[in-house]
Amino acid sequence: MRVTRRFWATLALSGFLAALAAILERPLLLSGSVLIGAWILAAQYSFLAALERTTRTMSVTQSPASSSVRTDSSMAVTLAVTLAEPIPLHLGIEAGLPVATTGDSLNVAVTPEMTSSEQTASVTWPVAGRQQFSAPQLTATDGLFVATFPTGDRPTVTVEPRGPRRIHVGEGGTRLASAAGKHTSEQHGSGIELAEIREYTPGDATRRIDWKATARLGTPHVREHETDTDQRTLLVVDHRSSLATGPPNETKLDYLRNVMLATARNAHDLTDPIGLLGIGDSGTTTYLEPATALDSYTTIRRELLELEPSSIDADHSENAHISRSNAAVMQSPHESPTLRTVRRSASDLDEFETASGSFAQTLRPFYADQQPYRWRIREQPLFNSVRTALASNSEAVWMAVFTDDSNPTELRETVSLARQNGAAVTIFLAPTVLYDSQAAGDRERMRNRYLEFETLRRELAGMDRVRALEVGPRDRLSTILEAGRDGDRQ
Amino acid sequence: MTDRLEPTGADETDETAARGDGELDPAAVEPIESDVRVAVVLSLGALVVVLSLGALVVAFTALAGLRGTIGALATAAVWYAVGTPYAIALGHVVLLTLAPTSIDSHFRALVGIEAAFVLLLLVAVPRTASGNRVRHAAAVLGGIAVLGVTAWTVWLPLAQPIWVAAGAVFVVLACCGYLLHRYELVVVREVAKPDATDLGTDPGEATARTDSQPDTQSEQ
């Protein structure tokens, strides 16, 4: 409890009378001092009684508009005070906004005749995390005494960082029941998991005979076990400029990144060899051979987290730099093409186009026949990079392709190529319609574009040992599916 | 009749105290009796207060005739303008000039004047006591009893000088004020304490946060 200047003035009056009484030796004045002192004590008692009544009948609530918010977003917060009856005090209540918020302060004043008051302010939340309000600070005064103390509730707001929140991974609008799991090789051999008990055939090792089953069934039986195998996993990550579609921090690549990280983590947990093939607008940007070492997973995870949509200009300059640095690399014509040689060939073609020497003029007709191949290098970096990577991987591999539907032809060719090389393929596709904010208003158009995408997805999923899944924001997909259902009803 | 001395509602100073932005300025809050004083003029229900002021005028007149009447009217005017403590202070200063050095011959008049002042204290209650008049009156009488007995005991039975009696009065006043302050800390704030379950799911966190609440109050 604090006191105001008026209190000190009143106390000074009492002191003045007491001093005058002492100086003039007139006890009559001391009685006046006693009366003023009694008035002060009674006023303090009545203030406390009113304050106690206030705290019993008052309800202070801090109500954020939502319990969760994205970083740097603004949200209305309402501070409301309700009294069961008018109270004879002036009240001021200051909201206990979390420290990590910005915006105007939020205060409510209640005068003696009021029974309720509320104020709303817009508060910005720049810091992610669980933010708890402090209790509102109540200040009550009667003009002589002031009391300040916390009262009321303390709500919590979860501030989520910007980025994908509700990710849908599934087929045709249906969520994938289990996005990850152990893989079966369907091969029998040495292992721990029991596959079956079958009858003994000549040639089986006697140590594999299951004597209990033999005794029970009357004829020799052997145990077969699941063969423990490693699934070589290659993450093919397309991060070309088309993957930048979408709101900031919620682009196709951002959504796909979450699935990539989950896939990499799953492979790591199963101790499967895992590799990474990153593809920009001008070709391969990252290539890590599948490996089981812990640091390879760490490297891949870091690469995935740092992955950004490439820009065509940056890739061109990077490519020019690579070409120059690899100019001295010589390759035998009998070797299979590698990323370096392919890039060097493209660079050579550029040089022959501009060179005016007799040697270049002689060779130009021969290179002219390579134009379709050259176009493919320039225009189909996904296909080309995958082909190069598969050429260097003789073993069977499970290929997880993360891309969008902006180039269906290249995607089909890439998947066909992978299938021809014996790879099992799972495609995680980001439908452009789920990220295109310009198309959000036209539900019918969105629905048609999604149907086009679904046709492509089903076509890809129809291939042998190929699975195609869509990845996108769940709420947006729900909107499209709802539009589809409405359209069907009409 | 005193029950009809209800607050008249917000006056101009109330609106000043509650600024447009919702912040509270305690210094702008009018002294707690102002609306009651207005009520005295506007409401016939304030008859008791008028009677107490009338008793004051009569007692002063009985003491010093016309000069006493003028002094009492001045006291009543100060009560209306500034408040009860100032009226008491002025009234006693006026008494100093009106009453002779020896009070034996005017003992009854002086007792009547003091009784009128006490009556004024009892009936001109502050706004905070509007729903609690009996307790406020009891607090006034209790304060007078405690402080008065203290002054009387030190001055007469203990035969101490008046300045010692005055000092004793202030010591007792400070102790009583401190006791009421402790009452506020222990009882009133306990009612208003935020629910501990609202502090979070982690009991340790809840304790830490409760402990870290800064005590912004200064000791009276």
Side-chain angles (χ1 to χ4, degrees):
Chain A
M1 186 190 297
R2 289 170 288 146
V3 294
T4 65
R5 288 196 303 270
R6 288 197 177 92
F7 170 86
W8 291 116
T10 308
L11 194 65
L13 276 179
S14 178
F16 168 73
L17 290 180
L20 209 59
I23 292 169
L24 301 177
E25 293 189 344
R26 298 290 300 273
L28 190 64
L29 294 173
L30 190 58
S31 67
S33 177
V34 167
L35 290 182
I36 295 175
W39 183 88
I40 290 174
L41 288 178
Q44 186 178 2
Y45 170 78
S46 292
F47 170 73
L48 292 180
L51 189 62
E52 186 179 5
R53 190 152 51 101
T54 301
T55 54
R56 271 193 283 106
T57 61
M58 182 180 62
S59 167
V60 181
T61 55
Q62 302 177 105
S63 308
S66 171
S67 60
S68 67
V69 67
R70 295 292 188 97
T71 49
D72 292 324
S73 298
S74 292
M75 182 174 64
V77 175
T78 301
L79 175 65
V81 182
T82 308
L83 291 155
E85 58 188 31
I87 48 97
L89 295 175
H90 286 264
L91 303 179
I93 298 99
E94 183 182 6
L97 296 175
V99 178
T101 57
T102 56
D104 297 333
S105 59
L106 184 54
N107 299 291
V108 165
V110 179
T111 49
E113 77 283 3
M114 296 168 69
T115 55
S116 66
S117 180
E118 70 173 41
Q119 193 85 23
T120 301
S122 181
V123 178
T124 306
W125 308 77
V127 180
R130 188 169 172 266
Q131 314 265 2
Q132 186 171 30
F133 283 65
S134 303
Q137 286 290 322
L138 168 71
T139 301
T141 184
D142 64 350
L144 284 179
F145 303 95
V146 182
T148 304
F149 50 86
T151 185
D153 61 346
R154 302 181 60 193
T156 300
V157 171
T158 303
V159 185
E160 297 179 354
R162 288 195 174 274
R165 189 161 43 173
R166 292 161 60 85
I167 302 174
H168 165 84
V169 180
E171 297 171 319
T174 306
R175 285 180 65 190
L176 195 62
S178 174
K182 289 190 175 181
H183 44 84
T184 56
S185 64
E186 299 177 358
Q187 294 177 355
H188 295 166
S190 61
I192 298 173
E193 294 291 327
L194 177 66
E196 64 172 341
I197 296 175
R198 62 168 174 81
E199 199 165 357
Y200 175 86
T201 56
D204 288 337
T206 53
R207 62 186 171 83
R208 292 175 59 195
I209 294 175
D210 184 346
W211 295 108
K212 289 183 179 175
T214 300
R216 192 168 60 249
L217 299 172
T219 54
H221 277 73
V222 296
R223 277 175 173 261
E224 289 281 8
H225 293 87
E226 295 274 4
T227 303
D228 289 339
T229 58
D230 288 331
Q231 180 172 254
R232 290 169 63 81
T233 304
L234 180 63
L235 305 181
V236 179
V237 177
D238 180 1
H239 63 102
R240 288 178 285 182
S241 52
S242 64
L243 271 293
T245 306
N249 298 312
E250 295 178 23
T251 62
K252 293 177 186 174
L253 187 60
D254 290 321
Y255 274 86
L256 287 173
R257 192 196 316 275
N258 283 273
V259 186
M260 295 171 205
L261 290 168
T263 308
R265 178 57 192 253
N266 186 50
H268 174 65
D269 290 345
L270 295 171
T271 65
D272 287 339
I274 181 170
L276 175 65
L277 175 63
I279 298 145
D281 281 293
S282 296
T284 306
T285 56
T286 309
Y287 181 54
L288 299 169
E289 283 274 358
T292 52
L294 176 63
D295 58 345
S296 68
Y297 166 70
T298 310
T299 306
I300 287 171
R301 189 171 185 278
R302 190 173 59 245
E303 289 277 348
L304 292 176
L305 289 171
E306 293 175 354
L307 211 57
E308 292 295 333
S310 66
S311 72
I312 296 172
D313 294 340
D315 275 6
H316 270 304
S317 61
E318 181 191 349
N319 235 19
H321 172 71
I322 292 172
S323 298
R324 280 193 294 276
S325 64
N326 294 338
V329 176
M330 300 298 290
Q331 189 206 16
S332 163
H334 304 291
E335 290 179 9
S336 58
T338 64
L339 179 65
R340 278 185 173 185
T341 56
V342 168
R343 283 182 175 171
R344 198 179 64 191
S345 300
S347 175
D348 291 347
L349 289 172
D350 287 338
E351 289 173 10
F352 277 121
E353 271 188 357
T354 55
S356 58
S358 58
F359 182 64
Q361 287 178 358
T362 305
L363 290 182
R364 192 167 293 148
F366 296 96
Y367 273 97
D369 294 339
Q370 302 299 318
Q371 283 299 330
Y373 176 69
R374 187 180 171 197
W375 172 83
R376 183 166 287 173
I377 292 173
R378 286 277 172 81
E379 303 301 328
Q380 296 195 335
L382 175 64
F383 174 85
N384 218 27
S385 299
V386 168
R387 187 175 66 171
T388 307
L390 288 173
S392 62
N393 275 283
S394 56
E395 295 181 47
V397 62
W398 174 59
M399 191 177 286
V401 182
F402 300 89
T403 184
D404 64 352
D405 59 347
S406 59
N407 197 339
T409 308
E410 182 189 23
L411 188 58
R412 286 190 199 98
E413 287 187 24
T414 305
V415 174
S416 298
L417 177 70
R419 287 291 306 114
Q420 288 165 14
N421 284 269
V425 182
T426 300
I427 312 166
F428 294 94
L429 275 174
T432 304
V433 65
L434 296 184
Y435 299 87
D436 190 358
S437 55
Q438 292 179 346
D442 191 347
R443 297 177 70 181
E444 186 61 29
R445 184 160 166 258
M446 284 172 65
R447 181 195 173 200
N448 292 336
R449 288 176 63 184
Y450 180 73
L451 288 176
E452 286 176 22
F453 164 80
E454 180 60 14
T455 306
L456 170 66
R457 191 198 65 75
R458 287 186 182 180
E459 180 189 341
L460 294 170
M463 297 182 186
D464 183 35
R465 296 190 71 191
V466 174
R467 189 168 194 191
L469 301 168
E470 63 203 354
V471 177
R474 194 183 304 169
D475 49 351
R476 195 75 184 272
L477 180 64
S478 301
T479 305
I480 293 176
L481 294 176
E482 187 65 28
R485 280 192 283 272
D486 292 345
D488 292 341
R489 282 192 211 109
Q490 291 169 3
Chain B
M1 282 191 290
T2 56
D3 289 343
R4 297 171 70 178
L5 267 178
E6 295 298 330
T8 56
D11 53 18
E12 189 177 347
T13 53
D14 287 344
E15 293 170 4
T16 309
R19 294 181 197 148
D21 56 4
E23 290 185 20
L24 180 67
D25 181 10
V29 175
E30 186 66 8
I32 52 183
E33 291 179 281
S34 61
D35 49 356
V36 180
R37 293 196 302 275
V38 174
V40 167
V41 177
L42 298 179
S43 169
L44 291 176
L47 190 58
V48 171
V49 177
V50 174
L51 285 177
S52 68
L53 289 171
L56 202 63
V57 172
V58 170
F60 267 83
T61 305
L63 177 68
L66 182 60
R67 287 192 305 153
T69 306
I70 294 172
L73 290 176
T75 301
V78 167
W79 174 84
Y80 179 75
V82 195
T84 305
Y86 293 87
I88 291 173
L90 179 67
H92 282 81
V93 170
V94 169
L95 271 183
L96 187 67
T97 60
L98 297 179
T101 307
S102 171
I103 63 172
D104 293 339
S105 55
H106 299 89
F107 184 76
R108 285 187 177 179
L110 290 174
V111 169
I113 289 172
E114 292 298 334
F117 276 126
V118 171
L119 184 62
L120 187 62
L121 277 177
L122 292 176
V123 296
V125 296
R127 180 171 51 212
T128 49
S130 56
N132 212 2
R133 294 171 188 280
V134 176
R135 286 187 184 181
H136 179 80
V140 168
L141 294 176
I144 292 172
V146 170
L147 298 178
V149 167
T150 301
W152 179 80
T153 304
V154 174
W155 182 44
L156 288 179
L158 298 178
Q160 296 295 320
I162 291 180
W163 69 267
V164 176
V169 166
F170 274 86
V171 169
V172 172
L173 179 62
C175 290
C176 292
Y178 181 72
L179 286 175
L180 287 172
H181 171 61
R182 295 303 302 175
Y183 171 79
E184 182 232 344
L185 293 179
V186 174
V187 178
V188 179
R189 291 200 187 192
E190 195 63 31
V191 177
K193 203 173 187 178
D195 189 0
T197 57
D198 289 339
L199 298 180
T201 53
D202 182 5
E205 179 193 9
T207 307
R209 285 173 186 249
T210 306
D211 293 340
S212 65
Q213 287 289 340
D215 185 8
T216 56
Q217 310 306 309
S218 59
E219 296 292 327
Q220 183 184 341

